[in-house]
Amino acid sequence: SAADARAALRRCAAKLEHATIPPAVKQLDGSLNRFLHDVCGADAELPSVRFALETAVIGLVTRSPSALYASALGRGARGSVDIAALVDGEDDAPAFLPNRVVKLKAGVLAPERDAARVRDAVKKHYKVRVDANRRWSREQYETFLAHLGDAPLDFVEEPPFSSSNIPAALDETLAEADWSPAFDDAEVLVAKPALIGLERTLALARRHGRVVASSCFEAGAGLAHVAALGAALSDDAQGLGTYAWLAEDPFAFEELLDDDGAAFDVGAGEEALRAFAHRVFERR
């Protein structure tokens, strides 16, 4: 619960106040989480607490998280990150979004209707991703495919079975095993750093050619950290469209998007994270 997470964070903060961060955490090879576990114990294993602690430590050891993540993967970081817009499971994709990629939630309406929503989005010139959150049975997915026609898909998350012409992505499965042959078979891994951890996401990216970062409805500061990580991953639209669903956001993530709102400015975002951290500490 939120209350449990807050209590765990308070305990961790008290222990970390007098701890020295070892230089090895910058390797992001498991060293960061070993440090957090050594200091905080089991409290650091709660996903939301782990993400808060990971991002806090990263913010202390570098001015550019994206560059650190990219260095851990042996590559350079991009200066901006494209955002995949998120469309509710009962809505059609809007006609004039600036985003080139949309993710359609599915599984709420009939499979025939979801297929029609995909065809409509493709006609509007979007690259389309579909996520039914494991709601589809095998029969329902067969119906969806039968009504899809020749509409292309970027990928489908967690399909009930593989189809030769539809790229499959894993999402929830990533939290259920460290690695399995299914990870190799999937064309895409949709990693939620707030759920599986920053270091674990990087570990997946070291082993798989296409890892996409996705949010868990974090507030703006958390989204900015996910965006910084996304800047080090494959050159893909990242799953950051939840920012548009936030009722309020003290971090003002939306102000760090480009003029059209389709991409996140990584450098400006990292500067905003430093300023936000200073404001938080000043209020202590």
Side-chain angles (χ1 to χ4, degrees):
S1 70
D4 290 338
R6 282 193 293 269
L9 275 173
R10 291 190 189 99
R11 290 192 293 269
C12 290
K15 295 173 182 177
L16 287 165
E17 189 171 0
H18 304 291
T20 300
I21 301 173
V25 302
K26 287 188 173 184
Q27 297 173 16
L28 296 173
D29 58 356
S31 300
L32 173 54
N33 275 278
R34 284 192 293 273
F35 163 67
L36 293 174
H37 185 270
D38 288 347
V39 176
C40 301
D43 282 337
E45 297 175 9
L46 294 171
S48 59
V49 174
R50 176 180 57 215
F51 184 64
L53 296 176
E54 283 184 318
T55 54
V57 172
I58 291 297
L60 289 171
V61 300
T62 182
R63 291 180 60 83
S64 178
S66 62
L68 184 64
Y69 300 142
S71 176
L73 295 175
R75 60 182 69 156
R78 298 186 304 283
S80 67
V81 174
D82 288 345
I83 295 175
L86 182 63
V87 179
D88 186 69
E90 298 183 79
D91 296 336
D92 291 337
F96 299 109
L97 285 175
N99 311 73
R100 63 183 180 87
V101 180
V102 297
K103 175 174 169 177
L104 300 181
K105 286 291 187 178
V108 177
L109 304 174
E112 299 92 333
R113 180 71 184 91
D114 281 330
R117 294 170 64 228
V118 171
R119 296 196 306 271
D120 173 72
V122 170
K123 287 178 181 177
K124 293 171 179 172
H125 305 290
Y126 296 117
K127 181 183 287 187
V128 181
R129 302 169 179 176
V130 174
D131 180 14
N133 291 110
R134 290 182 165 180
R135 291 191 183 98
W136 278 331
S137 65
R138 185 180 184 89
E139 182 179 7
Q140 289 171 320
Y141 189 51
E142 288 173 344
T143 301
F144 169 77
L145 295 179
H147 286 80
L148 195 59
D150 59 357
L153 284 172
D154 190 22
F155 57 77
V156 174
E157 294 187 29
E158 299 282 343
F161 60 87
S162 296
S163 175
S164 59
N165 60 333
I166 305 293
L170 295 182
D171 178 354
E172 290 89 348
T173 300
L174 304 183
E176 299 169 354
D178 287 337
W179 189 265
S180 80
F183 292 18
D184 286 318
D185 295 338
E187 283 86 347
V188 187
L189 303 182
V190 179
K192 293 183 170 71
L195 180 62
I196 68 171
L198 289 171
E199 279 190 309
R200 172 87 192 291
T201 300
L202 289 168
L204 293 174
R206 291 186 183 101
R207 297 186 64 171
H208 197 283
R210 189 180 178 194
V211 175
V212 174
S214 184
S215 68
C216 290
F217 286 90
E218 302 90 334
L223 279 172
H225 278 288
V226 177
L229 179 57
L233 300 177
S234 56
D235 190 3
D236 253 310
Q238 307 297 317
L240 305 168
T242 53
Y243 80 86
W245 294 40
L246 298 175
E248 57 183 57
D249 177 19
F251 180 76
F253 180 90
E254 191 167 3
E255 294 181 7
L256 298 163
L257 305 183
D258 64 16
D259 291 341
D260 291 328
F264 179 80
D265 185 326
V266 177
E270 291 177 336
E271 183 178 346
L273 279 170
R274 293 193 296 271
F276 189 71
H278 284 302
R279 291 199 301 273
V280 170
F281 278 106
E282 286 172 358
R283 293 172 184 170
R284 291 184 63 192

